[in-house]
Amino acid sequence: MGKGGISGDGENMAAWLLGVNNLKIQPYKLPPLGPNDVKINIKAVGICGSDVHYLKHGRCGDYMVTEPMVIGHECAGIVAEVGSEVKSVVVGDRVALEPGIGCWHCSQCKGGSYNLCPDMKFFATPPIHGSLANQVVHPAELCFKLPENLSLEEGAMCEPLSVGIHACRRANVGAETTVLIVGAGPIGLVTLLAARAYGAPKVVIVDVDSHRLSVAKKLGADAIIQVSTKSEDIGNEVEQIQKAMGVGVDVTFDCVGFSKTMTTALNATTSGGKVCLVGMGHNEMSVPLTPAAAREVDIVGIFRYKNTWPTCLELLSSGKIDVKPLITHRFGFSQSEVEEAFETSARGSDAIKVMFNL
């Protein structure tokens, strides 16, 4: 294995998930380049919680890994080859890749909600191969040229940031919206950054982990509150949240998705407010829905994102959002480093975003 995971004979190599806790760098034969496709030399790949879930459990929600799969979906790279019809990028361009390919024929795609396409082909969502590889082939229209002042790592961070952007759009966050964020993991933190960029004047964030809360404070949260995992503490914690906010909580983002976090979100949000469920921790929950409905608290969900990459690149390039502090660990692309990187991400603790440099 040579530098950057390239084999001695120049084969394209990728990180394959072969089973639970079984990741191996092996050759990856790419599909042929279509007229509207580009071949990308991947240079930066972040680890997502879903990647860790696939590694540790062989599944994430309803998606099960039943055969070997290349992992990874948060990525950016350099255009190495373009299809005959491609006009949007040229060889040598640095690009951020949006990982989901809609069918463009169904009612959801035609209506603009391509993120809800039932036939979506998404990097590293079984059975579709991901992007932790030397090279991938991808539609040119899903490869967005990076402004000169942005790094490839920042390009890869467009993917998690897109979740926060889409959540803020769904919840209509604006200059008069007070925001509570439940969960200070990577998605909670990008939602904090997005809410600030959309003008939220006050943001309170809660979590069980003191280190992640300290990061949230450095990133601009107005108040941080450490909470417990015990349901009996909800009443007292809601009081703390409301006291810290000083006014009503207009929008709450639950970036965890447990019964306790969703109950906290519903109870803390002001009458006529909105709760946006971002995290998918539990498939089923027991929550006080009727009292929330009686106060006209709306509940909205999100699934991934749509049409967010141009917005992400503009916010990053302009300096309105800085994702660089979220990248806490960096690894190369060798067998030992891939294994160590995923263990680092799985441990959590001081690891927020773990990034591969290929």
Side-chain angles (χ1 to χ4, degrees):
M1 190 78 70
K3 184 180 178 184
I6 299 171
S7 68
D9 58 2
E11 270 188 300
N12 184 42
M13 306 299 284
W16 289 82
L17 179 60
L18 302 178
V20 172
N21 291 322
N22 187 4
L23 268 177
K24 290 283 186 296
I25 295 182
Q26 294 181 345
Y28 173 31
K29 187 173 179 173
L30 292 176
L33 193 72
N36 297 300
D37 295 334
V38 289
K39 185 180 287 183
I40 307 290
N41 291 331
I42 295 294
K43 295 298 180 184
V45 181
I47 297 179
C48 172
S50 65
D51 296 320
V52 173
H53 225 76
Y54 284 126
L55 175 64
K56 295 296 179 185
H57 306 286
R59 67 182 299 160
C60 188
D62 292 333
Y63 298 103
M64 293 188 65
V65 181
T66 57
E67 56 189 34
M69 178 184 80
V70 176
I71 206 157
H73 63 269
E74 304 177 0
C75 58
I78 300 172
V79 176
E81 188 179 346
V82 300
S84 59
E85 300 294 319
V86 172
K87 302 285 191 297
S88 56
V89 294
V90 297
V91 171
D93 280 348
R94 301 176 317 128
V95 293
L97 282 67
E98 181 173 352
I101 307 170
C103 73
W104 303 116
H105 301 299
C106 70
S107 60
Q108 298 289 358
C109 283
K110 287 180 177 178
S113 297
Y114 64 88
N115 56 314
L116 303 179
C117 173
D119 295 317
M120 170 72 75
K121 293 178 171 59
F122 194 94
F123 278 155
T125 296
I128 308 303
H129 291 310
S131 59
L132 184 47
N134 298 131
Q135 292 186 320
V136 300
V137 169
H138 206 53
E141 66 180 356
L142 296 173
C143 297
F144 297 85
K145 191 172 177 180
L146 294 179
E148 287 189 7
N149 66 333
L150 294 185
S151 68
L152 286 154
E153 287 188 338
E154 289 170 288
M157 288 295 292
C158 285
E159 200 281 337
L161 179 58
S162 285
V163 177
I165 297 293
H166 186 51
C168 285
R169 287 176 177 172
R170 285 278 287 155
N172 296 318
V173 172
E176 297 180 352
T177 312
T178 57
V179 170
L180 168 66
I181 297 172
V182 182
I187 294 302
L189 294 175
V190 294
T191 303
L192 162 63
L193 295 174
R196 276 290 191 230
Y198 274 79
K202 192 157 189 181
V203 181
V204 174
I205 190 162
V206 305
D207 198 279
V208 298
D209 187 283
S210 60
H211 174 74
R212 293 196 165 185
L213 286 172
S214 69
V215 174
K217 188 68 176 171
K218 289 174 188 171
L219 290 173
D222 293 289
I224 55 173
I225 299 170
Q226 188 166 7
V227 294
S228 77
T229 57
K230 299 174 184 174
S231 293
E232 56 264 33
D233 293 335
I234 290 174
N236 178 52
E237 289 167 0
V238 167
E239 285 183 20
Q240 290 181 61
I241 290 164
Q242 291 172 336
K243 184 177 178 183
M245 189 66 80
V247 293
V249 175
D250 296 320
V251 169
T252 299
F253 294 102
D254 180 358
C255 297
V256 183
F258 292 165
S259 293
K260 193 219 171 191
T261 58
M262 196 61 179
T263 299
T264 299
L266 291 169
N267 290 355
T269 304
T270 194
S271 298
K274 195 169 291 189
V275 172
C276 182
L277 179 56
V278 181
M280 295 182 173
H282 286 160
N283 205 37
E284 295 184 4
M285 303 183 203
S286 177
V287 296
L289 203 53
T290 305
R295 295 191 300 111
E296 294 193 357
V297 175
D298 292 342
I299 300 172
V300 297
I302 72 158
F303 186 62
R304 294 172 178 156
Y305 34 69
K306 59 179 180 180
N307 303 312
T308 50
W309 258 252
T311 301
C312 288
L313 292 173
E314 190 279 323
L315 290 170
L316 291 169
S317 181
S318 66
K320 290 175 185 169
I321 287 181
D322 182 8
V323 290
K324 294 189 293 294
L326 298 179
I327 305 170
T328 54
H329 295 74
R330 291 173 173 85
F331 292 89
F333 188 49
S334 66
Q335 181 65 40
S336 62
E337 286 178 290
V338 166
E339 291 173 0
E340 186 183 354
F342 272 87
E343 286 307 312
T344 300
S345 185
R347 278 196 304 271
S349 183
D350 63 336
I352 297 173
K353 183 56 63 178
V354 178
M355 186 73 65
F356 290 104
N357 294 126
L358 284 77

